[in-house]
Amino acid sequence: MVEAIVTRNLTKKFKDLVAVDHVNIDVKKGEIFGLLGPNGAGKTTLIRMLCTLLAPTEGTAKVAGYDIIKEDGKVREHIGLVSEKMIMYDRLTAVENLKLFGKLYNIPKDTLEKRTHKLLKLVHMEKWAKSQIGTYSTGMKQRINIIRALLSVPDVLFMDEPTLGLDPQSTTEIREFIKRINIENETSIILTTHMMVEADMLCDRVGIIDRGKIVALDTPRSLKRIIGGEDVASVDIEIPNLTNEMLEALRNQPTIVSVVRENETHLLIRAKGEDAFDDIIDTIRARNGKIAFVKSLEPSLEDVFLHITGREMRAEVSSKVKSFQGGGRHGPPALSRRVR
Ligand SMILES: Nc1ncnc2c1ncn2[C@@H]1O[C@H](COP(=O)(O)OP(=O)(O)O)[C@@H](O)[C@H]1O
Ligand SMILES: [Mg+2]
């Protein structure tokens, strides 16, 4: 298998509505590919076509090397789907649910038992393996829903909004599991999300989808460069003992593009280059400056969406994004603020 997914002009119309509009994507083997777009953009429709659950109106696609129309059975043998809706039986335990789905896939009993054990361990659910699913929290259910899709050891795993509706802790955990599945099993993953931060954290490459069309496709880093320029970092920093000397030193740093003094103690700094963030911190510390608060304001994928489509993504998106305090270049980037 060369490419996990190849689509050519893949299109789905519902009467007059073009839900997926001539989509061309190539997902590499072993890649985590994100489809990022607002509600109604066409993400689920695209996924359903690739999973052979919905026939395209136009165009072609290959998944795991097989044609989604002519070789739909083969496609199904090589994929797993974590759909938006969980299909599991509340009255059954996790193990019983998994057994049931294992039978549907014709997995031999011994193999199924081994896999179930291994997968429950992967998502830290061994302890609750024999409890009824109905007693689980949504986050716990989603863990079982995910490993259910892994029972057949798919080459390509589709995940449609895998963290939608989960609490923050479960969201973080599920994201870690997704990374681990990708690394340990070399599973190619295509996931949809309307959360910028999720695409940014998880995906090797991201296709931004809007009104059925892929409007941008690249690594999160490159997408952010579209609006941020080369390695530009913006830093929001609070220095309780800020002096004019510190300010002057910062302004004389070659990596620093601009320093705006917001008030007595608060600066907004824009800098260029790989070491820009470290330069800022070092310059302040060398003059005994105390750093009470620092936040790196990288351009977010949300900015990219706005830049490309001229429209904001839904408000619910940004309210879910947490800001980041006290780290540096090596911490998670803050995606909550716009750099302008
Ligand atoms: N079975 C269907 N019949 C008619 N319209 C549909 C159907 N499924 C989806 N749509 C429409 O297609 C568009 C894309 O929907 P969907 O793929 O679910 O978007 P997303 O998953 O990005 O939120 C929406 O306008 C939606 O209302
Ligand atoms: Mg959807």
Side-chain angles (χ1 to χ4, degrees):
M1 185 170 78
V2 188
E3 309 267 64
I5 297 169
V6 179
T7 77
R8 290 295 172 261
N9 291 323
L10 196 62
T11 300
K12 182 71 193 182
K13 289 183 190 157
F14 295 111
K15 293 190 182 137
D16 291 343
L17 176 85
V18 189
V20 173
D21 195 354
H22 298 86
V23 164
N24 295 296
I25 51 173
D26 297 79
V27 177
K28 291 176 209 147
K29 201 180 163 210
E31 188 172 38
I32 303 188
F33 187 91
L35 269 177
L36 173 73
N39 293 331
K43 304 181 294 296
T44 299
T45 306
L46 180 52
I47 293 283
R48 286 173 59 81
M49 284 194 282
L50 295 174
C51 290
T52 76
L53 297 170
L54 197 64
T57 314
E58 193 189 321
T60 58
K62 278 191 174 184
V63 175
Y66 300 103
D67 189 290
I68 57 163
I69 300 159
K70 294 182 208 127
E71 298 167 293
D72 56 331
K74 278 281 174 201
V75 170
R76 285 195 288 272
E77 274 174 34
H78 289 82
I79 62 170
L81 168 64
V82 180
S83 62
E84 276 179 309
K85 292 184 197 91
M86 294 187 206
I87 342 153
M88 279 185 302
Y89 298 96
D90 275 359
R91 296 255 182 96
L92 300 183
T93 68
V95 170
E96 287 164 347
N97 264 290
L98 294 170
K99 219 182 237 175
L100 193 69
F101 286 103
K103 273 189 194 151
L104 288 179
Y105 295 128
N106 285 324
I107 303 168
K109 197 167 169 261
D110 283 1
T111 314
L112 180 61
E113 268 172 28
K114 273 188 212 135
R115 276 185 202 160
T116 302
H117 181 75
K118 201 177 147 207
L119 289 168
L120 285 166
K121 213 167 144 184
L122 173 87
V123 294
H124 308 320
M125 284 296 289
E126 307 105 299
K127 257 197 268 174
W128 294 278
K130 293 193 171 141
S131 309
Q132 286 186 1
I133 295 241
T135 64
Y136 287 5
S137 68
T138 317
M140 288 159 81
K141 277 189 190 167
Q142 181 64 333
R143 294 186 206 188
I144 304 300
N145 192 35
I146 289 172
I147 62 173
R148 183 185 58 77
L150 292 172
L151 278 177
S152 59
V153 196
D155 292 326
V156 184
L157 179 66
F158 292 90
M159 307 183 97
D160 199 3
E161 309 247 11
T163 64
L164 189 69
L166 301 185
D167 60 275
Q169 195 193 334
S170 298
T171 298
T172 307
E173 279 166 2
I174 297 285
R175 286 177 185 157
E176 276 165 21
F177 299 143
I178 294 172
K179 274 272 183 212
R180 205 178 310 154
I181 291 161
N182 172 249
I183 292 165
E184 285 181 12
N185 308 341
E186 291 176 37
T187 314
S188 311
I189 299 178
I190 177 159
L191 71 86
T192 74
T193 182
H194 65 272
M195 283 175 263
M196 305 289 174
V197 70
E198 186 156 283
D200 196 19
M201 279 168 73
L202 288 176
C203 301
D204 299 307
R205 287 188 308 148
V206 176
I208 297 184
I209 183 165
D210 182 41
R211 296 173 177 170
K213 284 198 174 80
I214 300 285
V215 291
L217 196 162
D218 215 324
T219 60
R221 193 183 167 87
S222 299
L223 285 174
K224 286 188 278 187
R225 263 190 206 156
I226 291 176
I227 54 158
E230 282 282 309
D231 286 317
V232 172
S234 285
V235 178
D236 187 340
I237 195 161
E238 178 103 36
I239 308 159
N241 61 344
L242 179 67
T243 61
N244 284 335
E245 194 222 340
M246 265 180 237
L247 208 55
E248 205 51 38
L250 284 167
R251 288 193 167 126
N252 289 335
Q253 272 289 332
T255 51
I256 292 174
V257 181
S258 69
V259 181
V260 176
R261 189 168 190 169
E262 295 268 289
N263 55 41
E264 283 297 297
T265 60
H266 190 177
L267 300 178
L268 279 179
I269 303 170
R270 274 174 76 78
K272 251 188 171 148
E274 278 287 304
D275 305 321
F277 191 89
D278 294 337
D279 281 351
I280 295 168
I281 305 297
D282 292 347
T283 307
I284 296 163
R285 293 237 165 96
R287 284 154 191 86
N288 296 318
K290 290 194 187 90
I291 298 169
F293 169 90
V294 60
K295 186 160 133 186
S296 167
L297 306 174
E298 283 190 29
S300 71
L301 287 172
E302 194 166 7
D303 295 317
V304 180
F305 187 87
L306 181 72
H307 184 84
I308 292 168
T309 66
R311 279 175 293 114
E312 298 252 11
M313 284 193 61
R314 309 266 156 110
E316 71 203 63
V317 176
S318 44
S319 66
K320 280 190 182 159
V321 179
K322 277 200 206 131
S323 69
F324 154 62
Q325 291 192 26
R329 276 195 92 71
H330 311 295
L335 296 166
S336 56
R337 298 270 305 263
R338 187 161 299 127
V339 186
R340 284 275 141 73

